[in-house]
Amino acid sequence: MKKWSSVRLGLVFLFMLTLLLTGCTGGGSSSTQGKAMGEKARYKVDKDTPAWKLDKKKNTKLTWYVNADWFNKDFGHDTITKQLKKDLNVDIKFVTGDDTKLNTYFASGDMPDIVTIFGGNTPTAQKANTWALPLNELAEKYDPYFNKVAKEQTLNWYQLKDGNTYGYPSYSNTEEHYKSGLIPGADAFIVRDDIYKAIGKPSMETPEQFLDAMAKIKQKFPDVTPFGFKGFSAEGDPGSLGSMFQNHIGVPIDKDGKWYDRNLDKDYLTWIKAFNKAYKKGYISNDNFSDNNTKFEEKVARGQYATVMASGIPQLSGSLQKNIATHPAQKYIAVNGPKSTVGHEPTLNQTGISGWSVTYITKKVKDPQKAIQLFTYLLSDEGQFLTNFGVKGETYELNADGKAELKPEVVKLRNENPEEYKKKYRLGEFWFFGHDTFAIEHGKNDPNEAIGQIQEWAKGKLKPQFILENTDPDSGTAEARSLTNINSYWAKTLASLLRAKNEQDFDKTLSKYETFQKDNNFDKIEEVRNKKIKENKEKLQQ
Amino acid sequence: MTKKTFWHKLKSQIPLQLMVIPGIIFMIIFCYIPIYGLVIAFKSLTVTDTIASAPWVGLENFKIAFSDKFFWESVVNTLAISFLKLGIGFIAPIILSIMIFELKDGWFKKTVQTISYLPHFLSWIVVGGMLISWLSTSGLINTFLVGIGVIDSPKNYLVDPNSYWFIAVLSDVWKSVGWGTIIYLATMAGIDPTYYEAAKIDGATKMQQIFHITLPLMKFVITLMFILAVGGILGSNLDQTLVLINPLNASHAEVINSYVYKIGLAQGDFSYATAVGLAISVISLLLVVITNKLSKKVNNRSIF
């Protein structure tokens, strides 16, 4: 008898559980996009006036989800968001999180109004037509001015197969931007000025010259490490001696329009052999292979490397600044450094056309008119001036050349208390539609002490690599998994090549890598890449 | 008859039963309902899908994981590190707790305890940074070893794959040993002091007291801790791995968790990660049940 009742109890329990579960998962169906887009504009749409100037609606509330836990959620207290609130009559509630939180939004169907994600090649971005509103239609209906401020090439690049563009990226650099020469370089071979002078400013452009210079440094400055580089801090991270160095010596990015295995380029491997010699002579520290990024930055800040193959100069600027602050003579400067042994020119790279973050207006948006106005505003000169320099008269003034000049107290705070500066002004921190070239074109900021010379050096050396963007196999596919393993193995191979005991060891490690590629679907990955390169070319020719 | 007693019993306990209900509801909502999410192990779920809308793929995710030789390499590393941790890390807190127990109460005992607990409160990110410094060519360990003449020239231990298992195990033991003593010290505090007094009168030495009174009376807690530890054999310390791994030691450092993170989560492939997680949970459960059964047979003690 007791058994019977517990079975029955169990059944009731199970039934209840089923009810609960079905209740939990019922809300996932996607809505039709008609609802949000159905309303007519509440103002007279004009293609020459941005709609935010026409719309008189007060106090619109929008929820904006940013897929990054570190984003500052504050709104309405700093210079930028205070002005944004005033100009657009909008109150934004920022929500931050990671992919899990984003998935919860999708699963519940209760989407925020605006969503910012990272990576235009993620499944989320590729399926944007299921959850976001087409920007082109929104613009047409509510704010045609959007098309004047958005870059056409960027819109084309983000077009999905249905012909609509759903998201707009930050820091998307078009060919036009590359041609303008205004994109600041992010990678360079840098050397400590005092050491460079002490060894007679030698050229380090060929492997022999490089090794000679290293020998001189080692002899004259036994306490510093002659050569350092960023990377190897995590598995699968070849750091600045990987593709970044390939850009530096100008390894071709494709061969006759097909994907080219730059890691096995002869010119590149000649240099890796030279670095291997440097390692054997003690010019490269073993610690470089185990240091994490923080350690690397600390060492740069202390001037512990005589020369550095540096990547991500803007991120390194804090450390470079610290170095100058304590030892002005030790300032790192960019020099030509290693050059192609077969006469290639540098093809430095920066953020490409895909940009960095991508921002969408979702189908559940409460006020699509205000949302597209916000996009237009932030992309227009008003928004760009605001996010880069703040408010005229308050944080900047226009000088005689019409360039924005930050007020002395703002610059002072930036140099002395960067945290407080971020909190109070937030300049450069509201990056959703940000662009590097704007500040350079319209601002008269004194060149940054630490990185000004480095960026000056890089001028004219940047070339787009758009055709290679997003050409890795789609995540979740067998090819993508194989590629992850191949990339890990490449980082290991590169580290082993740099530390090879002799020529034989070097060649053996390299041929092991080639075998590894073959054993792990590399021909299929290449196929995918070639197909995507072809698609990219078509998109760029639109 | 039995039915009657059940309801009678329930009725007589109504106030107590009511107090249990919130706990049960909590368990249902936060422990049992999420179990439903495990079905994504048999589906292909991306960020934009709901659990219900994702397409079924059967055992595909398990096949991907278990037919992947790199996955098995990570299993080998996980087992090696776990067994070493079980060997050293399980015994260390027992020994340390007995040593602390035998100390006279006073400032020294308190200081030892505090110092040994401290590393537990540091995050692996901090400990990782310290270890990278200590193990580097100019770090603490090399300076010491070169100083006393054990080795001629400094060596970076983190780039040597053969040292990795020991670095992982020893740093983990250092971090957790003090914290691990708490439960043993609590048990020892419960031992009736008259046992020791009687033993002393009989002329038992300190060692004899430890082996014949302390350890036998701790047997149950030790068994319990052991069974739980066995269940964690396939688990691995993701934080520790991510801060200490680099391309050169990866061949020995890659554990199941970090591999699944790399292949699955880092690419937004929740289904793959869930499939591996589910498989590991099932195996761990089996391990616990088997150890428990064995313990019952050999020891006549079990936790359930």
Side-chain angles (χ1 to χ4, degrees), chain A residues 1-2 5 8-9 13 17 20-21 24-25 28 99-100 102-103 106-108 123-124 127 130-131 232-237 285-287 289-292 295 475-476 480-481 484-485 488 491-492 495-496 499 516 520, chain B residues 1-3 6-7 28 32-33 36 45-52 64 68-70 128-130 132-133 135-138 156 158-159 242-243 245-248 250-251 254 258-259 262-263 265 267-270 272:
Chain A
M1 278 305 259
K2 189 181 177 188
S5 80
R8 202 165 49 178
L9 259 176
F13 178 71
L17 203 66
L20 266 168
L21 290 181
C24 267
T25 52
D99 270 356
T100 332
L102 190 59
N103 179 248
F106 283 117
S108 68
T124 322
K127 283 201 234 162
T130 61
W131 58 271
F232 301 106
S233 61
E235 201 197 351
D237 169 21
S285 162
N286 254 325
D287 294 344
F289 297 94
S290 67
D291 282 351
N292 57 19
K295 289 261 147 32
S475 54
R481 285 187 288 271
T484 307
N485 284 320
S488 291
K492 185 191 160 172
S496 309
R499 301 172 79 237
F516 189 92
N520 287 281
Chain B
M1 202 43 208
T2 41
K3 191 184 173 189
F6 174 76
W7 290 111
I28 289 175
Y32 290 96
I33 291 177
Y36 166 73
L45 180 108
T46 58
V47 177
T48 52
D49 293 315
T50 66
I51 296 176
I64 290 169
D68 178 356
K69 69 176 197 289
F70 305 105
M130 284 157 60
I132 291 172
S133 293
L135 296 164
S136 71
T137 48
S138 53
N156 186 310
L158 269 175
V159 297
L242 288 183
V243 290
I245 199 168
N246 61 49
L248 286 167
S251 60
E254 190 87 86
S258 66
Y259 188 72
K262 183 172 88 173
I263 293 288
L265 288 179
Q267 312 213 14
D269 196 345
F270 298 125
Y272 173 90

Side-chain angles (χ1 to χ4, degrees), chain A residues 207-220:
Chain A
E208 293 74 31
Q209 289 171 345
F210 175 80
L211 289 168
D212 280 350
M214 292 295 122
K216 277 184 204 152
I217 295 169
K218 182 93 185 160
Q219 194 204 343
K220 285 200 174 163

